[in-house]
Amino acid sequence: MMDLGYWLPLFFAAAMGLAMLIYVLLDGYDLGIGMLLPFATEREKDTMIAAIGPFWDANETWIVLGVGILLIAFPQAHSLVLTSLYLPVTLMLMGLILRGVAFDFRVKAGDAHRDKWNRLFALGSLIASACQGWMLGAFVTGLKGDANSYLFSALIAVALPSLYIVLGAAWLLIKTEGELFDKAAGWGRLAVWPMGMGLVLVSVATPLANPAIAAKWFTLPNAIGLAPIPLLTALTWAGLVWVFHSQQMLRHGYGWLAFLALVIVCVLASFGLGYSLFPDIVVGRLTIWEAASATESLLFTFWGAAIALPAILIYTVFIYRVFRGKATDLSYE
């Protein structure tokens, strides 16, 4: 019979994966809106900021939870990952800090400086998104630091921002109306194609960059059992393209289906990534159990996580429920 030493690391690995998935979906759309900001009028920029303002803190809580679990439950992996990714992690934090400062200063600094802070908000969003893509690519290739790993990391550093931009456009379809709604649909129609190309290239490059992952996906009977994941992803992406291009769907209030399709794509991608990496937490170096803290420490931490995870989830749901509906004109009165 498998004991707590087996199950607790699995629980924390699943909790960390869930936290990072929710972060990508929620903070992804406000990073995407940040990158879209330069293409809007001044009034539209205020509405776009209003569309993410109430959810800002709730969204970023999830990355704090994910990194916290990595630190407490898997200290060896935390040390290895952050040591290998020191530069992109630092740049990502600088980008997030820049976003936070620009978010407040864009109005408080006065009209004369608003455009500058809008540009800095967009720059911070782009830096954070690209760095997250780079870190994901380096992580999937096992933090090797060779030419193939750098090339793959650069590929995902380009692909992930396109996903975030589509998420941002889809969120604006839910939260806005009028000319900004039409612009969001147009942005989505443009960005969905590089996002789809990114999905294809990443799907092809991942097994090429890591032979262990290729063996998991392309050997029988695994290849047959796993076939639904890429097929469903492709069908969902096609549905996403259809929603963005269907004026009838958009005009009748079904723009939210675009965001739902993106949720499905991200969930499927997470399943695929989880299967590719398992049982390693650092590919080719550490398994979940090798990197885990002592069972006694994990058991103690489990009760904290059992309280914190539902609490953050309830807080997030509450915030989204309170501020549901269309975004209104931004006011700092």
Side-chain angles (χ1 to χ4, degrees):
M1 181 177 179
M2 296 177 183
D3 58 9
L4 290 176
Y6 178 84
W7 290 109
L8 284 174
L10 282 179
F11 166 80
F12 282 106
M16 182 173 64
L18 177 64
M20 300 312 294
L21 170 61
I22 296 176
Y23 171 78
V24 166
L25 288 169
L26 299 187
D27 207 42
Y29 77 71
D30 67 50
L31 285 165
I33 289 175
M35 288 183 280
L36 288 170
L37 211 62
F39 305 103
T41 65
E42 197 61 38
R43 184 170 183 177
E44 289 169 346
K45 290 173 184 177
D46 284 345
T47 304
M48 291 165 74
I49 293 296
I52 64 177
F55 316 107
W56 181 278
D57 292 332
N59 294 347
E60 294 194 342
T61 301
W62 291 100
I63 194 172
V64 176
L65 177 63
V67 175
I69 291 174
L70 180 65
L71 170 62
I72 296 172
F74 306 103
Q76 293 186 59
H78 179 272
S79 176
L80 183 58
V81 169
L82 291 191
T83 299
S84 301
L85 300 177
Y86 184 82
L87 180 58
V89 167
T90 302
L91 290 174
M92 181 193 72
L93 292 175
M94 291 175 65
L96 293 175
I97 292 170
L98 183 60
R99 273 167 45 89
V101 172
F103 185 86
D104 287 329
F105 278 23
R106 65 180 301 276
V107 169
K108 295 180 181 179
D111 293 341
H113 301 283
R114 182 177 299 180
D115 188 56
K116 175 184 70 177
W117 289 111
N118 284 335
R119 290 196 299 270
L120 290 175
F121 186 84
L123 177 63
S125 301
L126 178 60
I127 291 172
S129 302
C131 288
Q132 288 173 14
W134 183 280
M135 289 187 289
L136 177 60
F139 183 72
V140 169
T141 54
L143 307 174
K144 293 178 180 177
D146 56 16
N148 288 335
S149 177
Y150 287 140
L151 182 61
F152 184 72
S153 298
L155 172 63
I156 302 190
V158 174
L160 191 63
S162 67
L163 169 63
Y164 286 171
I165 288 172
V166 180
L167 277 165
W171 183 250
L172 291 175
L173 293 181
I174 297 173
K175 300 296 290 182
T176 65
E177 51 194 357
E179 291 185 9
L180 182 53
F181 180 93
D182 294 334
K183 279 190 176 182
W187 292 331
R189 284 191 290 270
L190 291 174
V192 73
W193 293 102
M195 171 206 155
M197 182 62 67
L199 284 174
V200 172
L201 292 176
V202 169
S203 299
V204 172
T206 299
L208 294 177
N210 196 317
I213 294 177
K216 286 185 175 183
W217 281 85
F218 300 119
T219 56
L220 295 175
N222 294 357
I224 297 174
L226 295 170
I229 293 179
L231 290 176
L232 286 173
T233 302
L235 288 173
T236 306
W237 178 82
L240 177 64
V241 174
W242 176 62
V243 171
F244 274 125
H245 283 81
S246 174
Q247 292 297 323
Q248 185 176 4
M249 293 285 291
L250 296 174
R251 294 304 175 196
H252 285 79
Y254 291 101
W256 59 270
L257 288 174
F259 198 85
L260 177 61
L262 287 161
V263 170
I264 295 172
V265 168
C266 290
V267 169
L268 290 170
S270 296
F271 280 138
L273 181 61
Y275 173 79
S276 298
L277 299 180
F278 186 81
D280 291 349
I281 193 168
V282 179
V283 179
R285 299 196 190 188
L286 287 172
T287 67
I288 292 171
W289 297 278
E290 290 171 344
S293 298
T295 302
E296 294 78 8
S297 299
L298 290 179
L299 184 59
F300 176 81
T301 307
F302 169 81
W303 298 110
I307 296 171
L309 186 58
I312 296 172
L313 186 60
I314 291 170
Y315 164 71
T316 302
V317 172
F318 175 76
I319 290 296
Y320 276 83
R321 180 172 176 79
V322 168
F323 294 99
R324 65 188 182 276
K326 299 293 183 179
T328 57
D329 289 343
L330 187 66
S331 175
Y332 286 81
E333 296 294 332

